[in-house]
Amino acid sequence: MIEIYLLEQLCAFAEHGTLSKAAESLHISQPALSRSMKKIEEELGVSLFERDKAKISLNETGELAAKLATELLSLNLGMVRRIKAFDRSQRSITVGACAPFPMNELMPLLQEYFGGMLITSELAELDDIENGLLDSTYQIGILNKPTENAELFCQRFVSEHLYISVPKTHRLADRKYVKYEDFDGERFLLFEHIGFWKELCHSKMKGANFLVQNSMESLEELINATDFPCFTTDAFIHPAPRDTNRIVIPIEEPEAYATFYIACQNSYKKKYASFFNSIRSRSIQV
């Protein structure tokens, strides 16, 4: 059995090309690295290097060994990561969400069912959420489309519709609805942390310009102090009174309507069965 540190040192040599540079990257002496390379040859029973007075280099067998060592180290790292993630999942729940509204809706429900566990959440890209569910980085994911991965279970959660908010004097204020083409030349205030909605705005509203804000406090100050339009959704319009100085208008485009799904690994389905059933019941009642 070849020890992990020998594989790591072989990969470092393959990456850097010389003993001196590889030893420096590993924070060990060059003679120590040279001994390790001889040891790995002895354990494999093959020659991995071409040696001359000036330097050593990998031969074809050595290149194959370094390639396979890289793959083994990656598998080893993945194994360690998955074991640690699984262990965390026994004591905590981490949610990866593609948008803030469904994440905010889900968190109190999770606290209600799993109040004894540590529950955290973060915004992430859709692909990262699915991959995170598969490797147990996330125990629950919020997606804006059903997953096609057979290893994951998902069900419908909530919906959201994108609107714009404009001053009463704005040129669009008398519209019953708006389209992307209506935004050409407009400057919008846009919050940075809105998940996939941000990418939708940039990709679909190419004629608009965006003043992106990292702070909600700064965004609200600009909304109150300027005539720039901004975005909101029906999720935030209906529960709270509207700003009397502004008009909210729905965006009538297919992508402006989002249906969110909650997902987990099939192996967690039994663990979260009562919780998912509760979500299903709430969705039916709504």
Side-chain angles (χ1 to χ4, degrees), residues 94-103 120-133 135 137-145 192-199 260-261:
T94 303
V95 179
C98 67
F101 162 63
M103 181 170 68
T120 58
S121 62
E122 63 184 26
L123 290 174
E125 299 289 335
L126 186 64
D127 288 345
D128 292 336
I129 295 170
E130 290 205 10
N131 291 332
L133 289 170
D135 68 11
T137 298
Y138 302 127
Q139 285 68 59
I140 293 178
I142 300 176
L143 317 172
N144 62 328
K145 63 179 181 180
E192 173 76 26
H193 309 293
I194 55 174
F196 86 100
W197 288 120
K198 181 187 172 186
E199 173 58 29
F260 299 103
Y261 299 82

Side-chain angles (χ1 to χ4, degrees), residues 93-273:
I93 297 173
T94 303
V95 179
C98 67
F101 162 63
M103 181 170 68
N104 294 339
E105 289 288 294
L106 189 67
M107 292 303 284
L109 301 178
L110 283 169
Q111 291 287 355
E112 180 182 331
Y113 270 80
F114 304 102
M117 301 181 76
L118 174 65
I119 302 173
T120 58
S121 62
E122 63 184 26
L123 290 174
E125 299 289 335
L126 186 64
D127 288 345
D128 292 336
I129 295 170
E130 290 205 10
N131 291 332
L133 289 170
L134 293 171
D135 68 11
S136 296
T137 298
Y138 302 127
Q139 285 68 59
I140 293 178
I142 300 176
L143 317 172
N144 62 328
K145 63 179 181 180
T147 180
E148 296 180 357
N149 193 303
E151 294 182 49
L152 300 178
F153 166 79
C154 80
Q155 71 178 43
R156 188 183 183 281
F157 181 34
V158 291
S159 297
E160 192 174 21
H161 184 189
L162 190 63
Y163 283 59
I164 63 168
S165 170
V166 298
K168 289 182 176 180
T169 55
H170 194 274
R171 67 180 180 87
L172 298 174
D174 61 348
R175 300 287 188 89
K176 291 184 177 180
Y177 62 86
V178 288
K179 298 276 193 176
Y180 299 144
E181 62 191 29
D182 296 322
F183 305 153
D184 289 355
E186 287 288 345
R187 300 179 73 186
F188 279 88
L189 297 171
L190 182 66
F191 190 46
E192 173 76 26
H193 309 293
I194 55 174
F196 86 100
W197 288 120
K198 181 187 172 186
E199 173 58 29
L200 182 143
C201 290
H202 283 291
S203 63
K204 297 298 181 180
M205 307 171 195
K206 295 186 181 297
N209 298 303
F210 300 101
L211 303 174
V212 181
Q213 303 298 308
N214 279 301
S215 162
M216 180 58 75
E217 183 178 326
S218 298
L219 178 69
E220 290 176 349
E221 288 179 0
L222 286 171
I223 290 172
N224 293 328
T226 71
D227 293 332
F228 293 134
C230 61
F231 296 97
T232 186
T233 75
D234 58 344
F236 297 98
I237 293 168
H238 297 318
R242 298 180 180 180
D243 183 340
T244 56
N245 296 315
R246 283 183 170 253
I247 302 293
V248 290
I249 309 166
I251 301 174
E252 287 300 320
E253 299 279 8
E255 302 85 0
Y257 291 86
T259 298
F260 299 103
Y261 299 82
I262 53 173
C264 69
Q265 277 189 37
N266 287 328
S267 58
Y268 291 142
K269 187 177 176 181
K270 184 176 180 181
K271 178 179 179 179
Y272 299 136

